[in-house]
Amino acid sequence: MAAQCPQILIVGAGPTGLAAAIELGRRGIRCKIIERSERAGYSPRAKTTHVRTRELMRMWGIADKLASVAPFGIDYPNDVHYVTRLSGYSLAVFKDALNGAPVRDERYSEHGQWLPQYMVEAVMREHVLSLPTVTLEYGWEFISLDQDENQVRARIRSVESGEERVADCDFLIGADGGRSVVRDQIGSKMLGQHGLSRNYNIIFEAPELAKAHRHGPGIMYWQVNADCPSVIGPMDKGDLWFFMPWMLPNDVTLNAVQAAEMIRIATGIDSPYRVLSSDEWVASRLVADRHRQGRVFLAGDACHLHPPLGGFGMNMGVADGVDLGWKIAAFLQGWGGPALLDSYEAERQPTHQHVVDEAARHHATIPNHYIRPALEADTEGGGALREEVGALIRKQKASEFYALGIVLGCRYLHSPVIALEEELPDWRPVTDYEPCAAPGALAPHGWMEDGRSLYDLFGEGFTLLAFANASDADIAQAQEDAAVACIPLTVVPLSDTYLAQLYERCLVLVRPDQYVAWRGDNWLGVDILRHASGLTTQHA
């Protein structure tokens, strides 16, 4: 391949594509991202950055930067309110939803954060542009591809001039969203259910709206009323808000004037609403039947689509990019084998299915589900009904806003590069997170006595956690094996008794994405590393 050609072509400059580029670029892999147009302005995209995504940003050194751009300050209450309408009655409140409080927690290294996706993208994009081996080109669209066992030849076109080029690359990542052209090119099909509901995302300005209701600050206000069941909330400085009416009839369309009137009716607050954008979207539960063909991979919305309940979409896409990025880099640098590339689909597809199912479960209990006659009545009966509905909301919706088990607890149980101790084919993620150090699980977090996160000690390659009872000879042998096999390995000696109890073994091998690959009380030789790197498919 010519020196000027990228090793990786990434189609799509959203969070998924940017995450893949960061993982590749920080390891010195040349890659080019192409995007049809600059992603700026208001959009119906994510506002929830989960704990896990911010942990990955900590790994990249940009978590503090993301915290600094929080539009309402990092201490703004991450509360979710259920109300009849902004001008009406409170039904239920979920305090510190989505683990957004900026307090130290033993279970994770970074709290969640509520801010518009365009801010997340701006922080990630700035970091991408600081990486010398990564280029980002706007105004180019992907057309088609051909591939053989050695390379991918992608046809791309200038949106402005119509000029076409051929981009040769080692691998291509399709991070081009729900209408992925890359997905179509490799013959992958989205399986599941399309059209769970038809909705609008409306972005608007509303001066003093935050002071015009009595429910207090929060990130979302779910409005339960027969006029317009919906969710509304603050999005950015400048009195910028979002509004989503749920499950509109197919014959209803909204222009700016109609959207403003709908906000007025739904909230019960007469204010000078200025609608900036109104975008229709359809909720679906879909997962691609294949995430890869040869040297072409799908990531993010290109291979999974689901309702936004729980805020999993963008975050799952970032995790896809990280998983794919380090594995492709390892393969190109010679310390990763074919089985490592195979593991992307084996690990991520079941995870996507679990999360899509979880989001669809939450979708079954949107505000429409809680509408009752006389719910807004200013009577004793109305008050009793609101208590009843509030209790039902707290019971049914808590798992949507306190879902750390989904965010941190998913396990890779059918991976060719994980040395599984036992198969759990019926395992499903649960909302309550219980740290687990078994192979295939995210390495349990802990804080060091000096204030650092355990994750801060991990290397860019594999990390071997060596607890107090680990043999010095075993540690030395592991380091020698890694050097002979040319597999990057960082050894981290640990004397912490809490972590020792949590990890349960003297030696624990952790992957670059912070998942456990193997653990044991005795080092079993170089085959452990070769298996975790996909250089062999059998573990001795």
Side-chain angles (χ1 to χ4, degrees), residues 25-140:
R26 76 192 191 102
R27 291 177 166 82
I29 303 298
R30 295 191 313 278
C31 55
K32 176 186 290 186
I33 314 170
I34 62 169
E35 176 69 53
R36 281 181 52 86
S37 59
E38 293 195 32
R39 297 167 62 93
Y42 315 116
S43 66
R45 297 175 185 149
K47 291 166 283 293
T48 302
T49 305
H50 278 311
V51 163
R52 183 62 190 146
T53 300
R54 281 185 40 84
E55 286 188 324
L56 294 170
M57 291 185 172
R58 182 187 183 105
M59 180 173 71
W60 299 331
I62 60 175
D64 287 345
K65 174 65 176 178
L66 191 70
S68 72
V69 300
F72 310 116
I74 203 65
D75 293 316
Y76 181 82
N78 238 58
D79 298 345
V80 173
H81 296 257
Y82 273 76
V83 298
T84 56
R85 59 186 83 221
L86 276 187
S87 65
Y89 297 95
S90 175
L91 298 171
V93 182
F94 296 95
K95 294 287 188 181
D96 185 29
L98 309 166
N99 302 95
V103 295
R104 186 165 124 162
D105 192 301
E106 198 68 33
R107 299 169 296 175
Y108 47 79
S109 61
E110 293 288 339
H111 58 85
Q113 191 172 346
W114 177 264
L115 77 172
Q117 182 175 320
Y118 54 76
M119 288 185 172
V120 178
E121 290 185 16
V123 171
M124 294 178 70
R125 185 165 53 246
E126 180 182 7
H127 189 57
V128 159
L129 294 176
S130 74
L131 300 172
T133 60
V134 181
T135 58
L136 172 57
E137 293 190 7
Y138 289 107
W140 288 88

Side-chain angles (χ1 to χ4, degrees), residues 196-200 229 244-250 363 366 368:
L196 296 175
S197 64
R198 176 175 174 267
N199 316 279
Y200 271 84
M244 294 184 190
W246 282 85
M247 298 188 73
L248 292 176
N250 289 333
H363 184 273
I366 54 180
N368 312 55

Side-chain angles (χ1 to χ4, degrees), residues 196-273:
L196 296 175
S197 64
R198 176 175 174 267
N199 316 279
Y200 271 84
N201 189 82
I202 298 162
I203 308 300
F204 66 99
E205 290 178 347
E208 304 300 315
L209 181 58
K211 298 178 182 179
H213 66 86
R214 61 186 179 185
H215 301 293
I219 57 173
M220 287 185 279
Y221 302 85
W222 290 87
Q223 301 185 115
V224 182
N225 62 70
D227 291 328
C228 185
S230 54
V231 60
I232 190 169
M235 194 173 87
D236 201 347
K237 297 175 182 177
D239 296 307
L240 200 65
W241 289 65
F242 70 92
F243 173 71
M244 294 184 190
W246 282 85
M247 298 188 73
L248 292 176
N250 289 333
D251 60 349
V252 172
T253 58
L254 296 177
N255 57 34
V257 174
Q258 293 167 327
E261 181 60 22
M262 184 172 284
I263 297 168
R264 189 171 291 107
I265 291 171
T267 61
I269 297 173
D270 190 8
S271 183
Y273 301 114

